[in-house]
Amino acid sequence: MITKCLLATCLAIVVAAPVQAGPAKYLFAAKRDAAETAPSSHGSYAKGCIGGAIALPETGPGWQAMRLSRNRNWGHPQTIAFIERLAVKAQGIGWPGLYIGDISQPRGGPMRSGHRSHQIGLDIDIWLRRPSGKRLSRKAREKVGSPIVTTSSGLGVNRNWTRQHHDVLKAAASDTAVARIFVHAAIKQKMCVTEPDGPGRAWLRKIRPWYGHNAHFHVRLKCPVGSTGCANQAAPPPGDGCGEALDWWFSDEARNPKPKKGGTKRRELTMADLPLACADVLAK
C-alpha cells in the first residue's frame, strides 16, 4: 500500500487531473441547489458561473417569478436586492408588480436551452406584461406569456406599449448597479423620442438595442464590488445611443443578416472554457 508520495509527484497528479469533457451545460443543469460558498460571480456573463447564489422567492412584495420549472430564479444576492428595489419603484409609478423570467441556474454556467448569457447570476429577464395584481398559481406561471410590444414590421411599437413601460425601464436604468439593459431597437427608438431633451437623458445610454427583446427586457448588472474573478462587459459608447447611433438597427444589413460561413451553430462550451473556479463551484 502506498502511504505517502513526494510533494512533486502529488502536485503532478493534481495538475494532470483531467477536466470533465463534454458540454458543460449538462453538468450545471443537473445541479438543483446553489454551491455552499460565499457569493461570487466567476468569469463573464456568457462564460462563467456563480457560487453562493440565492433563489428569488417565488412570490414577493411586488414580483412573481415565472417558469418555475426551469429552476432559473437564482442570482447573486445583489441581483435579488435589485429586483426588490425595482419592484418598489415600479409600484410607485403605478405598475402593479414585476413578472421575473430567467435569472440564472443555481450555480450559473451554460444552460441547456435559451440563453448564451445569464451565467454568473447578474442577468435578469423582466417581462413587459402588465401584472394583473393577483397571485398566479405555479401552473399559470408555466402558461401565461408576455405580449409583444412591437409591430410586425419591427419598425415601431404597437398599442401594447405604454408610457408606464417607459417609466419602468427608466427606473431600472437609473439604478447605479445596472450596466446596461437590452431591448428591441424599436423600443429604444420610441424611448429616444419620448424622453425630453436635456441632461436628464443620461440613463438612456444604458438602454441598448438587441435582437428579440420585444416581450421582455434584459437587465445586466455590473460585477459586484470585490468580485475579483468577475469580468465586466465594456461600458456602452458615450452618448444616449439615439439618432445615428441607432439607425443601423433599422438597416437592411441589421434586419436581414447574412448567414455566417460554415453555418451558425455555436460550439458548445466545456469546463475547459470556463474559469477554473467553476470546477470548484460544481464540486461544492
Side-chain angles (χ1 to χ4, degrees), residues 198-217:
R201 290 170 63 92
W203 59 271
L204 271 170
R205 180 187 181 195
K206 295 182 184 179
I207 305 292
R208 311 306 302 178
W210 196 247
Y211 297 104
H213 296 84
N214 56 2
H216 73 277
F217 62 97

Side-chain angles (χ1 to χ4, degrees), residues 150 182-187 208-218 248-258 260 266:
T150 56
F182 301 105
V183 298
H184 191 283
I187 294 176
R208 311 306 302 178
W210 196 247
Y211 297 104
H213 296 84
N214 56 2
H216 73 277
F217 62 97
H218 176 162
W248 178 82
W249 287 93
F250 298 95
S251 68
D252 183 67
E253 180 184 13
R255 290 167 55 78
N256 300 288
K258 295 180 180 179
K260 295 180 180 180
R266 293 172 172 171

Side-chain angles (χ1 to χ4, degrees), residues 25 34 42 44 70 124 177 179 184 188 190 192 235 242 245 249 282:
K25 63 184 182 181
H42 303 285
S44 63
R70 296 180 179 179
I124 314 145
H184 191 283
K188 169 74 175 185
K190 177 64 175 178
C192 289
C242 300
W249 287 93
L282 274 181

Side-chain angles (χ1 to χ4, degrees), residues 19 22 24 46-48 116 267-276 278:
V19 175
K47 193 178 290 185
R116 188 69 172 181
R267 182 178 68 81
E268 297 281 9
L269 295 177
T270 67
M271 290 303 297
D273 296 311
L274 304 180
L276 291 175
C278 291

Side-chain angles (χ1 to χ4, degrees), residues 99-206:
Y99 285 154
I100 305 298
D102 290 350
I103 306 174
S104 286
Q105 298 176 129
R107 306 188 191 200
M111 296 182 181
R112 295 183 66 171
S113 63
H115 301 287
R116 188 69 172 181
S117 59
H118 288 259
Q119 293 193 27
I120 57 175
L122 298 174
D123 290 298
I124 314 145
D125 284 345
I126 302 177
W127 289 14
L128 291 170
R129 182 185 185 92
R130 181 184 177 87
S132 65
K134 68 177 182 179
R135 181 170 178 166
L136 300 177
S137 67
R138 290 182 65 92
K139 184 177 181 181
R141 298 185 201 204
E142 299 295 329
K143 293 185 176 182
V144 170
S146 186
I148 290 173
V149 300
T150 56
T151 60
S152 57
S153 68
L155 297 176
V157 296
N158 61 27
R159 63 182 181 180
N160 292 326
W161 176 261
T162 68
R163 174 64 200 217
Q164 287 181 321
H165 285 103
H166 178 107
D167 292 340
V168 170
L169 277 159
K170 181 176 181 178
S174 298
D175 193 297
T176 57
V178 172
R180 58 182 67 206
I181 296 174
F182 301 105
V183 298
H184 191 283
I187 294 176
K188 169 74 175 185
Q189 182 184 60
K190 177 64 175 178
M191 297 182 76
C192 289
V193 172
T194 303
E195 187 66 15
D197 291 333
R201 290 170 63 92
W203 59 271
L204 271 170
R205 180 187 181 195
K206 295 182 184 179

